[in-house]
Amino acid sequence: MKNTRFKPQDAAELYGVPYWSSGYFRVNDEGKLEVDLPGGLSIVLEEVIEELVARGKSMPIILRFPQVLAERVKSLSEAFRKAIKEYDYQGKYQGVFPIKVNQRRVVVETIAKAGYSYHTGLEAGSKAELALCLAQNIHPEALLCCNGFKDDGFVSLALWGRKLGKNVVITLEKMSELDRVLRLSKELNVKPAVGVRFKLNAKGSGQWEESGGDNAKFGLNAAELLHVVERLREEDMLDALSMIHCHIGSQITDIRRIKVAVREATNVYANLVKAGVPVKYLNVGGGLGVDYDGSKTTFYASMNYTMAEYAADVVYTIQEVCQRMEVQEPIIVSESGRALTAHHSVLVIPVLDVTGPTVDQPFIPDRKEDQHQIVTDLEQLSENITVRNAREVYNDAVADKETMNNLFNLGYLSLHDRARGEALFNGIIRKIAKAVQDMKYVPDELEDLPRVLADKYVCNFSLFQSLPDNWAIDTLFPIIPIHRLDERPTREATLVDITCDSDGKIDKFIDLRDVKRTLPLHVPDGKPYYLGIFLAGAYQDVLGSGHNLFGKVNEAHVVADKEEGYRIELFVRGQKARRMIENMGYEEDDLRDSIEAQIETARKKGHFTQSEAKELGTTYTEELLGYTYLE
């Protein structure tokens, strides 16, 4: 007899771990998910969660792995170094991390530290971000790029940064910013370094394709760029123009689009150099993708190139144009945020409950003698279901269920009959799904059965706080149980969060060939069951909303150690209820005063004893200071 035992490697294939993990995650021989780090170090996720729970920490929790961040910085810088050496490129590479992708302290400080020797810089798109960036310890030659729209305060702070000895470059996003930079630099008596974001004709690919091209939000066109050059020449400040910056969008899926954009940007650079402008940096912007589904295609959740291929194509394309135009090869700059941060964190969420048509009903009404004929019809349909009649039975059952609902609404069907009819219908579609599961060709009507039959796994998290891109723009994130991966999952499920919103659900999942509508999961066994959501380290931390006043979740910073296995370097508690309430304009003292006044009024009316009044006050205070998620 053929051995059908489910093995950990089967789980790895089922959930696509080798394809999307970039080598940072794997299923071990015990059927548990672990993070793999350089030097043969690894951390079993379930062990970390169990330790945190033993310490009294509540779910959900983000596990952050600073070593993964550091490795991503190294990998990108080394990819460019290798390409530069291979092509004998005469310039060098300096990465820049746009902190809008993730401003969390551990992220920014880890990248700054890991990138110091590589001259990795930072990018700020607001005054607050610039204030944060100026305080970081980065290499003196590392760039601090100031992008986005600017007022006097933004520009002044950037110019003060140059006096501090920082390599600050102010990127002009619109024409009027030039006058502001020139005026304030004279007032502060500091020479600025200016960049110009050039509005490329080229566009990216994927969800952010429209952010590039002629209708892009930011950037100057060719005529405006030439006007900047002439204005700086008139001011005898032409050497202040040090950078040409371009950007064609985030998560670019097709490497060909990148090469077209880089070629266009390099031609702009080369023309300026030939005109006597001493441009030093060519900033190719962001867009380096993340392969969320592992398919290595141009699908919006994937990318058809590797980090090494990206670096090689950028270097080769710039060199080709510069050699043809006979100009010096520039320092290459890229602002790759998503690719650096996506892999470093895992959101771990516990399953609280399971509902759905495949879950055993606790109560099925008995058959009554005066049962309505429509219920009897459903009984008869359920008695003999085969592969041959599955399609016919399904169509009849759907029609009978619709009739049953209409009869109930008109008052011709009892609640008892409706309950029994619904149970019979659910049983029929379960039998049909089982009958057709091995068919080579599944009729169109039955293709959607897995989704119809999917259980709803209720999970302790808020989609709007932790995965806003999934809700807003259908970004796909790998989701997989972090344990029990040596057991065959027998349920098909969708996920729902604990918000009071019907949109708080995940019903699209990664797949190498398509988008799956359900996720294979295990039957709950009475023990904690944890799911991990991966590649969510970019943007999700900073875009989350406080729907239902669910706040930022607890997070643990975990470091692998040869002697200890791992250690939890830092635990950052998630937002308390009072913090979320205060964000809406309320004051904690006012809330307490109101509750205390109501308690006292109720006590005087005899609704409370003195001890009950005290207990309610204590409970209210504890909840204000408590975690916003279920504990």
Side-chain angles (χ1 to χ4, degrees):
M1 184 175 178
K2 184 179 179 181
N3 182 11
T4 58
R5 179 177 174 272
F6 193 78
K7 302 179 180 65
Q9 52 265 42
D10 297 323
E13 191 69 25
L14 176 65
Y15 294 106
V17 179
Y19 308 108
W20 54 258
S21 67
S22 298
Y24 295 111
F25 301 97
R26 74 178 187 93
V27 180
N28 68 18
D29 293 339
E30 286 73 44
K32 299 179 179 182
L33 208 65
E34 64 181 31
V35 57
D36 277 1
L37 297 163
L41 301 176
S42 63
I43 304 171
V44 178
L45 301 186
E46 186 186 29
E47 292 180 4
V48 180
I49 293 299
E50 288 177 343
E51 178 179 339
L52 288 166
V53 170
R55 292 186 184 184
K57 308 306 182 184
S58 299
M59 299 287 113
I61 284 180
I62 290 177
L63 301 181
R64 296 194 190 277
F65 300 99
Q67 289 157 305
V68 173
L69 272 176
E71 178 63 20
R72 295 297 287 179
V73 173
K74 177 182 177 182
S75 295
L76 180 59
S77 298
E78 289 295 338
F80 270 97
R81 283 189 174 185
K82 181 180 178 181
I84 286 170
K85 183 177 180 181
E86 179 181 350
Y87 294 115
D88 193 25
Y89 186 84
Q90 297 305 299
K92 60 180 182 179
Y93 168 77
Q94 290 185 219
V96 169
F97 173 60
I99 70 168
K100 66 181 180 183
V101 174
N102 197 320
Q103 297 106 336
R104 301 293 285 175
R105 181 173 182 175
V106 66
V107 174
V108 177
E109 290 185 352
T110 298
I111 289 176
K113 181 178 179 181
Y116 192 90
S117 62
Y118 293 107
H119 299 186
T120 300
L122 302 171
E123 179 267 332
S126 69
K127 287 182 283 189
E129 287 187 345
L130 178 56
L132 190 159
C133 290
L134 284 171
Q136 302 308 307
N137 180 29
I138 59 177
H139 193 278
E141 292 183 26
L143 287 160
L144 205 170
C145 297
C146 297
N147 298 342
F149 297 133
K150 305 166 193 69
D151 61 7
D152 280 12
F154 195 159
V155 174
S156 293
L157 191 58
L159 292 170
W160 279 112
R162 288 195 65 78
K163 282 201 169 187
L164 278 174
K166 305 281 188 179
N167 189 10
V168 180
V169 176
I170 302 171
T171 303
L172 304 181
E173 307 283 7
K174 56 182 181 177
M175 282 295 300
S176 60
E177 291 180 349
L178 177 60
D179 290 334
R180 177 173 282 116
V181 171
L182 293 175
R183 171 173 54 83
L184 291 170
S185 63
K186 291 176 183 176
E187 291 177 6
L188 296 174
N189 191 29
V190 58
K191 187 174 183 179
V194 175
V196 172
R197 188 195 294 256
F198 185 75
K199 192 177 293 187
L200 298 177
N201 179 65
K203 287 187 176 184
S205 58
Q207 288 180 301
W208 288 271
E209 180 176 341
E210 295 305 315
S211 63
D214 294 335
N215 294 319
K217 176 180 177 181
F218 298 104
L220 279 61
N221 60 29
E224 291 169 328
L225 173 59
L226 292 177
H227 177 78
V228 168
V229 170
E230 291 309 311
R231 180 70 191 283
L232 289 173
R233 198 188 301 273
E234 292 171 2
E235 296 282 342
D236 195 25
M237 293 180 62
L238 194 58
D239 58 345
L241 182 51
S242 62
M243 178 184 290
I244 292 296
H245 179 204
C246 64
H247 181 66
I248 58 171
S250 182
Q251 182 62 19
I252 300 172
T253 62
D254 191 348
I255 190 65
R256 293 173 296 179
R257 300 290 187 94
I258 294 173
K259 290 191 285 187
V260 170
V262 171
R263 180 171 288 108
E264 182 181 353
T266 310
N267 272 291
V268 173
Y269 159 81
N271 272 272
L272 289 177
V273 172
K274 289 184 78 70
V277 183
V279 180
K280 183 178 181 181
Y281 303 100
L282 177 56
N283 188 334
V284 298
L288 175 57
V290 170
D291 197 356
Y292 289 96
D293 69 3
S295 65
K296 295 177 174 55
T297 65
T298 58
F299 182 58
Y300 80 90
S302 187
M303 53 192 274
N304 68 355
Y305 56 95
T306 65
M307 183 183 285
E309 290 168 344
Y310 169 82
D313 283 346
V314 169
V315 171
Y316 177 81
T317 302
I318 293 175
Q319 183 182 62
E320 182 185 41
V321 174
C322 288
Q323 289 181 351
R324 173 172 52 82
M325 297 283 286
E326 298 181 339
V327 298
Q328 181 179 349
E329 294 161 6
I331 296 174
I332 301 172
V333 179
S334 75
E335 299 181 1
S336 301
R338 183 186 301 270
L340 292 183
T341 59
H343 299 77
H344 89 280
S345 71
V346 181
L347 173 65
V348 179
I349 58 175
V351 174
L352 302 176
D353 200 0
V354 182
T355 64
T358 67
V359 179
D360 294 334
Q361 289 190 221
F363 173 73
I364 301 176
D366 296 329
R367 192 182 196 281
K368 289 188 174 182
E369 291 185 3
D370 62 346
Q371 174 176 280
H372 195 284
Q373 182 60 43
I374 194 68
V375 182
T376 302
D377 290 346
L378 285 167
E379 280 181 347
Q380 293 170 353
L381 285 174
S382 69
E383 290 174 357
N384 185 28
I385 298 173
T386 66
V387 172
R388 289 187 176 183
N389 70 2
R391 184 177 190 174
E392 179 184 357
V393 170
Y394 178 76
N395 288 329
D396 289 345
V398 170
D400 284 349
K401 187 172 186 291
E402 184 176 347
T403 301
M404 182 178 70
N405 290 333
N406 290 334
L407 289 170
F408 180 79
N409 291 336
L410 292 170
Y412 297 124
L413 191 75
S414 70
L415 183 60
H416 184 281
D417 280 349
R418 173 173 172 170
R420 182 165 175 79
E422 288 176 348
L424 288 166
F425 178 80
N426 288 338
I428 289 169
I429 59 175
R430 286 200 298 268
K431 290 179 181 179
I432 293 171
K434 186 175 181 180
V436 303
Q437 62 184 358
D438 295 325
M439 290 177 63
K440 290 184 178 179
Y441 168 74
V442 178
D444 292 344
E445 298 96 316
L446 306 182
E447 281 186 341
D448 207 30
L449 272 183
R451 185 186 64 82
V452 173
L453 285 169
D455 296 321
K456 292 180 175 63
Y457 276 52
V458 183
C459 302
N460 191 10
F461 83 114
S462 164
L463 182 73
F464 308 95
Q465 174 61 240
S466 295
L467 294 176
D469 276 352
N470 179 271
W471 168 71
I473 55 176
D474 289 331
T475 298
L476 300 176
F477 297 96
I479 303 174
I480 173 176
I482 67 170
H483 51 173
R484 296 180 65 182
L485 295 171
D486 53 350
E487 303 174 35
R488 186 184 303 277
T490 57
R491 290 270 177 86
E492 293 293 330
T494 60
L495 309 182
V496 296
D497 70 4
I498 57 173
T499 65
C500 297
D501 196 306
S502 58
D503 277 352
K505 63 183 179 181
I506 302 177
D507 57 7
K508 294 178 182 177
F509 304 92
I510 66 164
D511 185 67
L512 290 179
R513 290 165 294 278
D514 201 353
V515 176
K516 292 195 296 189
R517 300 306 301 269
T518 60
L519 181 69
L521 293 176
H522 302 90
V523 178
D525 60 0
K527 300 176 182 178
Y529 186 51
Y530 300 116
L531 305 180
I533 302 177
F534 296 81
L535 305 189
Y539 293 102
Q540 306 317 293
D541 291 300
V542 298
L543 292 179
S545 77
H547 196 319
N548 279 155
L549 298 186
F550 288 113
K552 292 188 180 300
V553 306
N554 291 331
E555 60 180 69
H557 305 167
V558 189
V559 175
D561 187 280
K562 287 185 178 180
E563 295 182 1
E564 302 176 52
Y566 72 87
R567 65 179 185 276
I568 298 171
E569 277 199 332
L570 179 67
F571 182 83
V572 181
R573 186 172 180 180
Q575 288 176 305
K576 299 177 181 179
R578 69 173 180 179
R579 179 68 63 194
M580 296 301 296
I581 294 171
E582 287 173 349
N583 289 343
M584 297 297 114
Y586 301 92
E587 295 294 334
E588 181 184 352
D589 290 343
D590 293 341
L591 295 175
R592 289 179 189 274
D593 291 345
S594 175
I595 288 296
E596 288 174 1
Q598 293 179 61
I599 290 173
E600 182 61 20
T601 299
R603 189 189 65 78
K604 289 179 178 178
K605 291 180 178 180
H607 299 164
F608 284 108
T609 64
Q610 187 67 39
S611 63
E612 287 173 336
K614 183 178 180 180
E615 183 179 351
L616 173 54
T618 300
T619 300
Y620 186 81
T621 297
E622 288 175 349
E623 290 306 316
L624 277 180
L625 298 175
Y627 200 25
T628 57
Y629 295 88
L630 304 184
E631 298 184 86

